[in-house]
Amino acid sequence: MELPDVIARQDIQRVINAYAVCFDYMIWDRMETLWADDAVLIPPGGTRIEGRAAIMSRLRRMEIRDLIAAGAAAAGRAPLTFMRHHVTTCDITIDDATTAHGTTYFAVITDAGLDQAGVYRDEFRRIDGRWLFSVRRARVDLITPDAYFGVTRAAVAADLAREGLDR
């Protein structure tokens, strides 16, 4: 493996890790720096969001903690106080000097313990010397019964059905 590929993989891993931290703490200004201008985000359920501005508008508007809090209150549960996205196995392929792709597994831990787990399938582009997301597809494979992220259950079912999987 050549040194430029090693450096590229490390730089891409930093982008993947920063996404997790930014999402957990809702650090939207930093999150915005991780996307190419024409990036695409495909969250669970398959709704395609095109362009950095549209992605960030959706993420800022999403206020996932508010949605989770409403669901917890309706179920008579304590509010969410803890959320961490853990990225685990990460397989990055450098296609050429300016493009790469990868698969990364993730698990989300909340007050409920393991809340959900799935996979990101990403494409990256090197722009002005920085690796950025050009496409991020998120698929959730598991949502536990006590999940605070149960609000995504319908989107997960749609993804699994589309891919011919049944959970």
Side-chain angles (χ1 to χ4, degrees):
M1 184 178 315
E2 299 294 319
L3 183 59
D5 286 353
V6 172
I7 293 169
R9 280 187 177 84
Q10 288 180 325
D11 289 346
I12 290 168
Q13 186 69 56
R14 278 193 285 273
V15 171
I16 293 166
N17 293 341
Y19 177 93
V21 171
C22 290
F23 193 95
D24 287 342
Y25 291 100
M26 294 185 275
I27 306 170
W28 305 131
D29 290 344
R30 181 173 177 213
M31 172 78 82
E32 190 164 2
T33 68
L34 305 176
W35 300 91
D37 284 340
D38 61 347
V40 174
L41 172 63
I42 306 170
T47 303
R48 188 178 176 91
I49 306 164
E50 297 186 26
R52 181 189 316 155
I55 291 167
M56 292 312 304
S57 176
R58 170 79 177 271
L59 290 174
R60 284 184 171 104
R61 192 174 72 239
M62 187 169 53
E63 297 302 336
I64 191 72
R65 289 182 189 248
D66 292 341
L67 191 58
I68 290 170
R77 296 178 65 194
L80 176 73
T81 64
F82 180 81
M83 173 175 61
R84 295 293 181 273
H85 285 72
H86 295 270
V87 291
T88 60
T89 303
C90 185
D91 182 28
I92 299 167
T93 300
I94 307 301
D95 300 318
D96 57 41
T98 61
T99 62
H101 66 277
T103 299
T104 304
Y105 299 155
F106 69 87
V108 180
I109 308 298
T110 66
D111 299 83
L114 176 62
D115 200 284
Q116 66 176 268
V119 63
Y120 295 120
R121 300 214 189 273
D122 297 317
E123 297 173 29
F124 304 93
R125 258 197 340 262
R126 190 162 189 234
I127 301 170
D128 295 330
R130 293 185 56 236
W131 287 99
L132 304 171
F133 288 114
S134 58
V135 178
R136 172 153 263 207
R137 295 172 189 86
R139 187 185 79 208
V140 175
D141 297 317
L142 168 76
I143 296 182
T144 60
D146 292 333
Y148 278 85
F149 276 86
V151 296
T152 61
R153 217 174 288 281
V156 170
D159 280 351
L160 295 175
R162 186 174 27 265
E163 294 182 26
L165 303 172
D166 186 20
R167 295 224 181 216

